[in-house]
Amino acid sequence: MVIRIAAVGDVHLDQDVVGRFRPALEQLPESADVLLLAGDLTRHGTESEARCVATEFGDLGVPVVAVLGNHDHHCDEVPAVIRVLEDAGILVLEGTNVVLECAGVRLGIAGAKGFGGGFAGRCASEFGEPEMKAFVRTTSAIADQLGEALREMDCDLRVALTHYAPVPDTLAGEPPEIYPFLGSYLLGQAIDSAPTELALHGHAHAGSERGTTPGGVRVRNVAHPVIKQAYSVFHLHPPYAGATAGKVSAVSAGGSS
Ligand SMILES: [Fe+2]
Ligand SMILES: [Fe+2]
């Protein structure tokens, strides 16, 4: 038994990109049970760009679950963006979760956009000016919601979906000076607070694909400029009776774009 999870982030859709992913997406039901979108679905977060996302990623024949990214917030049209996506059947998570039934296996997905702050030894702290404290508290609150959303699920396999990175490993290739704006160790702690099998994120266009949380959870950066294909597919093996956790056994290539 294998559960196949397709994922991509940072597709940054607008009119000029519509149709680029669709040929590969038409084949999706043959290679994946679900598609996860790791944020930055639009270029500037407008309602019209969200309609492009709905056109490209709607009616795929498999469930589509998304988180938003920082670009999707830029024009302050988040409620409209979410409405357009959900009207197209794309479920948007923010500190929330969903459990999907895939061939008798309960696949739990918890998602949140995440935020910045940096990583152990090089991170912002909740100290000093109100603005700095608000910055760190924002990440802390999002991480708390993600952790709770992961822990509360009654499922066989758990996947965490964020836009910002939970570990520095998958940022390798980005300038170290901007790591604090690309992710936070608090997201990694949240992922490690539950028996998570796989953590997917985007945002780091110049980062690298593979990483691991301190607790041993596999992390994959699925930003489109990193994976250089329409989506990657991850194979998860549910735990057998008596086992305590599933395993990510293989990563296979998805379609091209
Ligand atoms: Fe992006
Ligand atoms: Fe981003």
Side-chain angles (χ1 to χ4, degrees), residues 10 40 70-71 163 203:
D10 301 270
D40 278 3
N70 55 315
H71 280 249
H163 180 60
H203 193 43

